[in-house]
Amino acid sequence: MKKSYLMIAAAATLLASCASNDTFKEVEEQESAITFNQALYKTTRAYIADEATLANKGGFIVYGYKKKTSEQNWTAAQTIFNGVNVKSTNSGTSWTYDNLRFWDKNGTYNFYAIAPYSPTTGTYSLVNNTAYDALKFKIEGAASAISTASDDYLIDREGATNISGSYTGTSHDVVNIDFHHIMAKIDFKLKSTLSDGKIE
C-alpha cells in the first residue's frame, strides 16, 4: 500500500514539472573581460628587454578609468583599475590579474601602465591621481645594470579606448600596452688622446 502511494506521488510530481512553462531567457549580450597584452619597445642594453624578464620582475601595474561616452570630460570618471598587478605565469606569453573587470559598451576608457610591478630599490607614485585623462607618475630610482640592484622603468599610456556604438564583445577585449623605456643602462667611454693615457 505504501509503495502505491509513493508511485502516485512521483507521477504527480512528474506531471507538474511537465505542465510548468519554465523557459531560459537568452542573454542578449555576452560580457567581455578586459584583458591585456603588451610589447616592449626594444632598447639596446636595457635590463628589461623582453617579456620573460618583465614577467620575472612581477609584471606591471595598470591604472584604468571609465567615463560615460556621453560625458564631455573626465571629472566624474570611475576608477576601474587602481594599481592592479597584471602578471604572467608563462614568461610573458599571456597576462592575467585578479577579479576580472568587464567592458561597458557605453563607456570610454583610459589605461595607464608602468613596470616593473616590484622595483628592487626605486619607487613610483601617482602625482595627479584625479586627472583621469592625463595621469602622471613620479619615479625615483636608477637605471639598471644587470650586475646591480637598481631598476629599469617602463611606462605606457594606451590612451582613450572608445567602445561606444557597435560592440560585439570581441573587438575591444584586449588592451595593447606598448612599453617604452624611460630609464636604461647607458655606458660612457672616454678615450684619451694624450701619450700617457691620462684624461684631463
Side-chain angles (χ1 to χ4, degrees):
M1 191 70 175
K2 290 182 180 179
K3 189 174 182 180
S4 62
Y5 285 142
L6 290 174
M7 293 179 64
I8 292 172
T13 303
L14 180 61
L15 289 173
S17 65
C18 290
S20 65
N21 192 25
D22 294 334
T23 57
F24 291 101
K25 183 179 179 181
E26 291 186 6
V27 178
E28 294 180 358
E29 184 176 282
Q30 183 179 0
E31 287 187 318
S32 182
I34 298 174
T35 56
F36 296 93
N37 188 26
Q38 64 76 40
L40 292 175
Y41 180 79
K42 307 297 183 183
T43 301
T44 304
R45 300 184 65 81
Y47 179 28
I48 303 177
D50 53 43
E51 290 77 7
T53 305
L54 180 58
N56 290 337
K57 288 286 288 181
F60 52 95
I61 292 176
V62 168
Y63 294 86
Y65 306 96
K66 178 187 77 172
K67 74 175 182 67
K68 293 181 180 178
T69 303
S70 58
E71 294 175 343
Q72 296 298 315
N73 55 59
W74 290 82
T75 55
Q78 179 183 357
T79 300
I80 306 300
F81 292 86
N82 187 21
V84 173
N85 181 202
V86 179
K87 50 192 178 295
S88 174
T89 57
N90 52 15
S91 299
T93 301
S94 61
W95 300 87
T96 60
Y97 60 91
D98 296 330
N99 302 321
L100 288 179
R101 284 77 159 166
F102 296 88
W103 289 110
D104 177 357
K105 68 176 181 178
N106 298 312
T108 297
Y109 292 77
N110 274 340
F111 295 99
Y112 303 82
I114 189 169
Y117 174 74
S118 53
T120 306
T121 57
T123 61
Y124 37 73
S125 57
L126 296 181
V127 175
N128 54 341
N129 57 0
T130 58
Y132 308 116
D133 59 337
L135 205 66
K136 293 180 181 178
F137 297 96
K138 178 182 179 182
I139 299 175
E140 297 175 316
S144 181
I146 293 178
S147 59
T148 69
S150 56
D151 286 293
D152 181 13
Y153 291 96
L154 312 173
I155 196 166
D156 177 271
R157 179 187 185 277
E158 194 276 343
T161 302
N162 189 334
I163 60 167
S164 60
S166 177
Y167 177 63
T168 64
T170 57
S171 59
H172 297 287
D173 58 352
V174 177
V175 179
N176 291 307
I177 301 295
D178 185 14
F179 276 120
H180 292 257
H181 292 267
I182 55 174
M183 300 182 76
K185 179 183 176 183
I186 301 175
D187 286 338
F188 290 95
K189 294 183 179 179
L190 300 176
K191 183 177 180 181
S192 173
T193 58
L194 301 177
S195 58
D196 57 3
K198 293 181 179 180
I199 298 176
E200 295 182 351

